[in-house]
């Protein structure tokens, strides 16, 4: 179902699925980057993914939950690694921060960095955004925000 949601988001690309991680990059292959639009699309995908899990829980009588971490910026480095079983990988500070804030995320919410917040702050009418306490990540302490469906 996530793949079906993703198919409706033209600037997002599924990078990989590994275990319980579904990694998506926005604007990675875009000809003309429009950062705020890419972040809003990625945020919408995260919120729609939460809604999808809620629907699956009702249909299947389950209690699944997901966490979504979102950061923006660059640069990133990408490439195919390994010769035995090659995989396409994406590296960079933005990838690391997204992963770390996802790990500290409240289940069934989207946790965004300050960089994403600054690009979408003008569109508060579409999102319920709450400032979280500062969180410690490898790069230091950052301010982050929770976005509710």
């Amino acid at each position: 179902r996530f793949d079906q949601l993703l198919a409706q988001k033209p600037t997002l690309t599924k990078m990989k699925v590994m275990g319980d991680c579904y990694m998506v990059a926005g604007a990675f292959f875009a000809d003309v980057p429009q950062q705020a639009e890419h972040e809003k699309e990625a945020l919408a995908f995260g919120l729609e993914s939460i809604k999808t899990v809620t629907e699956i829980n009702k249909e299947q009588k389950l209690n699944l939950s997901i966490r979504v971490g979102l950061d923006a910026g660059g640069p990133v480095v990408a490439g195919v690694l390994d010769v035995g079983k090659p995989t396409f990988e994406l590296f960079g500070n933005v990838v690391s921060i997204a992963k770390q804030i996802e790990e500290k995320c409240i289940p069934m919410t989207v946790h965004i960095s300050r960089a994403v917040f600054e690009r979408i702050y003008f569109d508060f009418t579409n999102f319920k955004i709450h400032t979280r306490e500062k969180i410690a990540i490898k790069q230091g302490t950052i301010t982050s925000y929770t976005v509710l469906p």
Side-chain angles (χ1 to χ4, degrees):
R1 291 196 193 179
F2 289 171
D3 287 348
Q4 291 171 342
L5 289 175
L6 194 61
Q8 300 169 21
K9 308 292 183 208
T11 69
L12 301 182
T13 303
K14 179 168 70 172
M15 302 310 287
K16 67 179 174 179
V17 177
M18 189 168 146
D20 66 352
C21 176
Y22 189 97
M23 184 179 185
V24 173
F28 195 65
F29 297 108
D31 292 335
V32 180
Q34 297 174 345
Q35 308 242 242
E37 291 306 311
H38 302 306
E39 277 94 16
K40 286 194 308 189
E41 191 166 87
L43 180 55
F45 174 74
L47 292 169
E48 291 166 12
S49 297
I50 291 169
K51 182 180 176 186
T52 297
V53 170
T54 301
E55 291 168 357
I56 291 169
N57 283 339
K58 287 178 185 173
E59 292 167 11
Q60 303 294 322
K61 296 181 177 36
L62 297 171
N63 191 25
L64 302 173
S65 66
I66 63 171
R67 298 183 314 256
V68 179
L70 183 59
D71 191 24
V76 295
V77 175
V80 178
L81 301 180
D82 202 351
V83 290
K85 189 175 182 185
T87 59
F88 185 76
E89 300 291 336
L90 188 63
F91 300 97
N93 199 40
V94 67
V95 176
S96 177
I97 290 173
K99 181 181 183 300
Q100 291 176 73
I101 64 176
E102 174 270 326
E103 291 169 351
K104 297 177 188 268
C105 182
I106 298 166
M108 301 302 274
T109 64
V110 178
H111 200 171
I112 64 173
S113 68
R114 178 77 186 185
V116 175
F117 173 81
E118 288 175 355
R119 290 192 178 105
I120 65 167
Y121 75 92
F122 59 86
D123 204 1
F124 277 118
T125 57
N126 292 330
F127 307 114
K128 295 176 187 174
I129 300 176
H130 302 282
T131 304
R132 290 213 45 208
E133 69 282 350
K134 291 189 180 277
I135 60 169
I137 61 172
K138 291 178 188 174
Q139 294 84 342
T141 302
I142 63 168
T143 300
S144 60
Y145 305 84
T146 298
V147 183
L148 302 173

